[in-house]
Amino acid sequence: EVQLVESGGGLVQPGGSLRLSCAASGFIFSRYWMHWVRQVPGKGLVWVSYINGDGARTTYADSVKGRFTISRDNAKNTLYLQMNSLRADDTAVYYCARDSGSVTTFFDSWGQGTPVTVSS
Amino acid sequence: QSVLTQPPSVSAAPGQKVTISCSGSSSNIGNNYVSWYQQLPGTAPKLLIYDTNKRPSGIPDRFSGSKSGTSATLGITGLQTGDEADYYCGTWDSSLSGGVFGGGTKLTVL
C-alpha cells in the first residue's frame, strides 16, 4: 500500500525558514516524480513544485520560486521542501503527492498534509 | 484566482445526477489530459478521474469525466449523501510548466 506521511509543519515567523519532509513507502520511490501541493484552509488546491525521479529536474510555481527548494533522498525514500523567506500568504496545509508515473501528469496518491502557519 | 474555473457550488437530490464544469485554455485543458479529485471534509484529496475519463480501481462507475475543447466536465449519477465533498479539476499547464487546479466545487446532496 502506498503511504505518504508529511512532517515538519508548524508556526514560524515571517522571514523564517522551515523544512517539510514526506516519508514514502509501499512503492519504488526513485521511479516516481513527486509534487508538493498546498491548500489554504477553506480554499482551493495550489500546485507548488515537482521533482523528477533522480532529483535532477525541478520546477516551481512563480509564487515560491527563489524561496522554496524541493529535493529528495531516494536512499531514505523521503521528499523535502525547504521553505525560506516565509510570508503570511505561505500559510497553508502542505501535501506531498505522487505523480502517476505515466506519460500524463496527475496525482494518484496524497499524504495527509502538514500545516504551516506564518505569523508573528 | 485559480487558472481553471469551476462553479463554487452545485447541489442535487439523492439519486439524481449532477455535472461540474471546469474551464481552462489551450495551454492547459485544451492540450492536456484532465484529472479530478474528491476531497471529503477534513481529509486529503483523492484521485477520482484521470486521463480525462478513466477511473482508478475502486472508483464506482457513477463517476465519469469528459472534455470538449478547453473545458472538462465531471459527472456523478445516483447521488449519495456520502458524495458531499469538494471536487477539484487539475491538469498540466504547458505555458506555466506546472500543475494547475480549479478553485473547487462544493457538492451538496440535499
Side-chain angles (χ1 to χ4, degrees):
Chain A
E1 178 195 4
V2 173
Q3 276 205 315
L4 299 170
V5 180
E6 301 95 335
S7 61
L11 174 65
V12 61
Q13 292 189 338
S17 298
L18 212 55
R19 189 178 84 156
L20 307 183
S21 299
C22 171
S25 61
F27 64 102
I28 301 175
F29 181 65
S30 61
R31 292 186 180 177
Y32 288 82
W33 292 15
M34 296 295 295
H35 301 258
W36 287 99
V37 176
R38 68 185 183 184
Q39 183 176 35
V40 174
K43 302 296 185 182
L45 301 171
V46 176
W47 176 84
V48 173
S49 179
Y50 92 82
I51 186 169
N52 73 339
D54 64 9
R57 191 195 310 177
T58 60
T59 300
Y60 301 90
D62 285 344
S63 59
V64 306
K65 203 172 293 183
R67 300 186 300 121
F68 289 12
T69 302
I70 190 172
S71 63
R72 63 193 299 161
D73 185 335
N74 287 340
K76 295 183 178 180
N77 290 339
T78 303
L79 174 73
Y80 302 101
L81 186 68
Q82 177 67 44
M83 304 187 296
N84 298 331
S85 302
L86 282 162
R87 311 184 306 219
D89 62 359
D90 294 318
T91 295
V93 174
Y94 284 74
Y95 295 101
C96 66
R98 190 182 80 165
D99 195 290
S100 65
S102 74
V103 176
T104 62
T105 292
F106 57 91
F107 313 106
D108 65 357
S109 295
W110 298 67
Q112 85 287 351
T114 187
V116 171
T117 303
V118 184
S119 175
S120 54
Chain B
Q1 188 95 4
S2 300
V3 173
L4 307 180
T5 301
Q6 298 179 234
S9 64
V10 295
S11 62
Q16 297 300 302
K17 173 183 177 178
V18 71
T19 59
I20 298 173
S21 61
C22 175
S23 178
S25 68
S26 59
S27 66
N28 43 66
I29 292 178
N31 283 284
N32 290 291
Y33 288 98
V34 178
S35 51
W36 290 89
Y37 304 87
Q38 177 192 60
Q39 188 174 33
L40 297 169
T43 69
K46 172 186 173 182
L47 178 65
L48 205 58
I49 297 288
Y50 68 96
D51 287 357
T52 300
N53 56 14
K54 298 177 183 174
R55 287 175 285 106
S57 170
I59 301 300
D61 59 6
R62 300 189 298 106
F63 296 90
S64 64
S66 63
K67 186 180 92 166
S68 178
T70 58
S71 292
T73 301
L74 173 70
I76 311 173
T77 60
L79 280 171
Q80 302 173 1
T81 55
D83 295 332
E84 286 200 333
D86 293 323
Y87 292 85
Y88 294 90
C89 57
T91 187
W92 191 257
D93 191 296
S94 304
S95 294
L96 298 174
S97 294
V100 291
F101 292 98
T105 299
K106 182 177 182 61
L107 169 64
T108 300
V109 181
L110 303 168

